[in-house]
Amino acid sequence: MEISFLGTGGGRFTTLFQKRYTGGIRVDGLDNYIHIDPGPGALLLSNKTGLTPVLLNAVVLSHAHPDHYTDVEALIEAMTKAGTRDRGVLLSSRSGVECVDGFGPVISRYHRNMAGDVKVLDDDVSVELKNNVLIKSFRVKHSDPSSCGVVIGTPDGDIGYTGDTTYFSDLPNKLRGVRVLIMNVTRPLNSDITYHLSTNEAIRLISKVEPELAIMTHFGYNMLESGVEEQASVVEGETGVNTIAARDFMKVKVEEEIRITKKQSKILDFKSNL
């Protein structure tokens, strides 16, 4: 399986000013094409990087915040070839398809009906794709109470994705056994914030999960200003686990070996007015 980062930014200010892109994550392999959390720019960046969105057979939405959902309807249209094919599965937090404590729905009924199948994510919801690839969801702790993370089970090992969450005692159990752990780490060391992981909490999580590779992504503005590579080095030093700070358009291959196959900076310069 190949993981492609179509953006490594998250949070309001990083998203508004596109200090890092926010197109989400593609996971491709074994005749499966999965897009996770297609935020602003997902459709554009998919096409620009050659990750053809019409190949998709699964779109995953972890929760109803704009940096995760804005392009989900466009990708449903791509997956179904503009609604002309009854194919693909939409896996969405409940807030994607109905109102949950003021969050959502963010996906129109028209687009929900367009998808070949719709599954509402919750604890222990599983969807089997092609060639023994399985997506299993679990509930996390975020301001949207229906927020979920996912584990993608593959013949080459499991890939875990936290989604947006604070650390909670059962989180390591949901992710234990994954080879690759992708964490949305919004805040730097000693800068905890409600509903999001900080570097301190990433250390706690990695120490308990013990993946082969840990990847930090979804960086908030303060996290980027603190230097994400330095933050990842601190995490690796504390945990002994190979830990990297993702970059826009980075690719990671999960096979017998785990290899970073492409590492590239963002393609547009950014000058902040803040």
Side-chain angles (χ1 to χ4, degrees):
M1 303 294 283
E2 184 172 73
I3 307 166
S4 301
F5 290 84
L6 291 175
T8 55
R12 292 179 177 88
F13 289 107
T14 300
T15 301
L16 288 173
F17 294 98
Q18 291 291 286
K19 186 168 186 179
R20 291 282 185 99
Y21 290 127
T22 49
I25 301 170
R26 271 282 292 265
V27 182
D28 297 347
L30 298 172
D31 204 25
N32 292 287
Y33 304 89
I34 306 161
H35 202 126
I36 302 172
D37 282 347
L43 180 65
L44 173 66
L45 294 170
S46 294
N47 283 302
K48 289 289 187 184
T49 56
L51 294 172
T52 310
V54 296
L55 292 176
L56 292 172
N57 64 322
V59 177
V60 180
L61 175 63
S62 68
H63 67 285
H65 282 160
D67 51 343
H68 297 257
Y69 75 71
T70 58
D71 278 16
V72 67
E73 291 179 338
L75 290 189
I76 291 170
E77 294 209 12
M79 180 171 68
T80 61
K81 294 181 170 56
T84 64
R85 300 288 189 276
D86 183 20
R87 64 183 298 275
V89 59
L90 167 66
L91 301 92
S92 173
S93 64
R94 188 164 298 280
S95 56
V97 299
E98 63 184 69
C99 183
V100 179
D101 290 355
F103 293 93
V106 297
I107 306 169
S108 70
R109 185 179 300 276
Y110 171 78
H111 286 94
R112 299 195 307 262
N113 290 339
M114 189 180 287
D117 194 11
V118 179
K119 297 292 185 183
V120 176
L121 301 180
D122 207 327
D123 267 332
D124 298 321
V125 172
S126 297
V127 176
E128 188 169 352
L129 302 179
K130 300 176 184 178
N131 297 315
N132 298 313
V133 172
L134 183 76
I135 300 178
K136 184 176 181 180
S137 63
F138 55 92
R139 290 283 290 275
V140 296
K141 305 290 185 183
H142 193 48
S143 54
D144 174 349
S146 67
S147 298
C148 286
V150 294
V151 172
I152 301 175
T154 86
D156 290 314
D158 293 353
I159 301 164
Y161 171 65
T162 64
D164 281 2
T165 184
T166 192
Y167 184 90
F168 58 99
S169 60
D170 202 33
L171 183 60
N173 295 328
K174 305 293 186 181
L175 293 157
R176 205 175 303 279
V178 301
R179 287 188 73 196
V180 178
L181 174 60
I182 303 171
M183 304 168 295
N184 287 358
V185 185
T186 308
R187 301 284 289 195
L189 277 168
N190 305 318
S191 184
D192 294 357
I193 189 172
T194 307
Y195 299 129
H196 292 277
L197 292 176
S198 67
T199 299
N200 305 72
E201 292 170 321
I203 291 169
R204 292 176 66 190
L205 181 59
I206 292 168
S207 296
K208 292 181 180 295
V209 176
E210 297 183 329
E212 192 172 330
L213 173 67
I215 304 174
M216 298 165 62
T217 188
H218 203 65
F219 304 124
Y221 197 93
N222 288 337
M223 183 67 162
L224 289 168
E225 291 293 297
S226 297
V228 292
E229 286 80 11
E230 291 81 358
Q231 297 287 316
S233 293
V234 170
V235 174
E236 183 168 324
E238 290 290 326
T239 64
V241 172
N242 185 17
T243 302
I244 60 174
R247 296 190 68 82
D248 292 349
F249 315 121
M250 186 179 81
K251 292 178 181 286
V252 177
K253 278 209 168 187
V254 183
E255 298 174 323
E256 185 174 347
E257 287 185 46
I258 297 174
R259 295 181 291 116
I260 301 170
T261 60
K262 184 178 181 183
K263 200 166 185 178
Q264 177 180 326
S265 298
K266 56 185 173 29
I267 57 177
L268 294 178
D269 192 21
F270 172 83
K271 293 182 174 61
S272 172
N273 293 318
L274 293 183

